[in-house]
């Protein structure tokens, strides 16, 4: 699979949409503190840009989900235990929501720590691929069922540093 010449969303289009997501989130949580929890590695660029567009007191943390390559069963979930979850307005920041299996699992685990609220912001959504009943609260763009790369998203570890969103084919 190689990088397609086709651009899905340009740098400017992403910046504009991330700005409006920031305003949407700021309005929703008005007057409150929030905890932003990014899912590594794909969300690292989105988090950097989005967090600066949220005009609220916010803590920022990251979590990594370790997936077994052989079985595709989720095996382990790792995060920094000093990150405030109990009693917090927790907003998960994801790169892309595909089948939803990963996020459903993460949300189930996080609920055990009793956040005050738990919501999801995903840059990209592939709604047609969903296998679980999961509706993200804030969505940047809906995308077709193709493998998207760039702006943090990878294909076999590559293309995360592309400044725009594209495809591999
Ligand atoms: P899900 O459990 O099927 O929703 O998978 C979600 C994870 O798979 C995402 O957080 C991504 O890390 C990865 N993923 C799914 N689709 C894509 C894609 O088109 N490009 C890059 N990564 C993807
Ligand atoms: Mg991800």
């Amino acid at each position: 699979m190689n990088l397609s010449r086709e651009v899905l969303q340009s740098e400017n289009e992403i910046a504009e949409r991330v700005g409006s997501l920031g305003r949407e989130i700021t309005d929703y949580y008005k007057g409150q503190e929030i905890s932003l929890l990014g899912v590594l590695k794909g969300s690292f660029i989105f988090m950097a840009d989005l967090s600066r567009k949220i005009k609220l007191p916010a803590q920022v943390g990251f979590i990594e989900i370790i997936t077994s390559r052989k079985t595709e069963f989720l095996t382990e979930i790792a995060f920094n235990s000093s990150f405030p979850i109990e009693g917090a307005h927790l907003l998960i920041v994801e790169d892309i929501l595909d089948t939803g299996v990963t996020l459903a699992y993460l949300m189930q685990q996080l609920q055990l720590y009793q956040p005050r609220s738990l919501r999801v912001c995903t840059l990209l959504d592939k709604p047609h691929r969903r296998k679980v009943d999961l509706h993200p609260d804030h969505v940047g763009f809906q995308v077709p069922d193709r493998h998207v790369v760039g702006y943090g998203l990878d294909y076999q570890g590559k293309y995360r540093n592309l400044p725009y969103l594209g495809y591999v084919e």
Side-chain angles (χ1 to χ4, degrees), residues 68-108:
S68 160
R69 272 164 204 272
K70 267 189 195 151
T71 64
E72 288 300 316
F73 285 133
L74 301 168
T75 52
E76 203 181 312
I77 183 162
F79 61 98
N80 182 351
S81 61
S82 71
F83 192 72
I85 294 178
E86 195 183 327
H89 289 295
L90 194 62
L91 181 63
I92 298 173
V93 177
E94 255 285 27
D95 54 353
I96 186 165
L97 192 50
D98 186 20
T99 65
V101 172
T102 312
L103 194 58
Y105 176 80
L106 175 60
M107 292 180 80
Q108 185 196 325

Side-chain angles (χ1 to χ4, degrees), residues 11 15 34 44-46 49 69 76 80 82 90 97-98 100 119-120 122 128-130 136 147-148 150 160 162 164 167:
E11 272 190 82
I34 60 169
F44 79 110
I45 295 177
F46 180 41
D49 288 345
R69 272 164 204 272
E76 203 181 312
N80 182 351
S82 71
L90 194 62
L97 192 50
D98 186 20
R119 298 170 85 250
V120 175
T122 185
H128 305 298
R129 299 252 312 159
R130 202 77 84 248
H147 195 93
V148 181
R160 289 195 198 277
L162 271 186
Y164 63 92
Y167 298 108

Side-chain angles (χ1 to χ4, degrees), residues 21-91:
L21 279 175
R23 288 190 291 276
E24 199 176 294
I25 291 165
T26 303
D27 286 349
Y28 182 84
Y29 290 100
K30 201 161 29 191
Q32 293 171 312
E33 271 188 51
I34 60 169
S35 295
L36 301 172
L37 185 61
V39 184
L40 290 173
K41 297 173 186 166
S43 72
F44 79 110
I45 295 177
F46 180 41
M47 175 68 96
D49 288 345
L50 178 69
S51 60
R52 286 177 291 175
K53 298 294 179 190
I54 296 175
K55 308 301 177 190
L56 298 168
Q59 303 220 20
V60 179
F62 288 94
I63 195 165
E64 187 160 20
I65 300 172
I66 316 289
T67 310
S68 160
R69 272 164 204 272
K70 267 189 195 151
T71 64
E72 288 300 316
F73 285 133
L74 301 168
T75 52
E76 203 181 312
I77 183 162
F79 61 98
N80 182 351
S81 61
S82 71
F83 192 72
I85 294 178
E86 195 183 327
H89 289 295
L90 194 62
L91 181 63

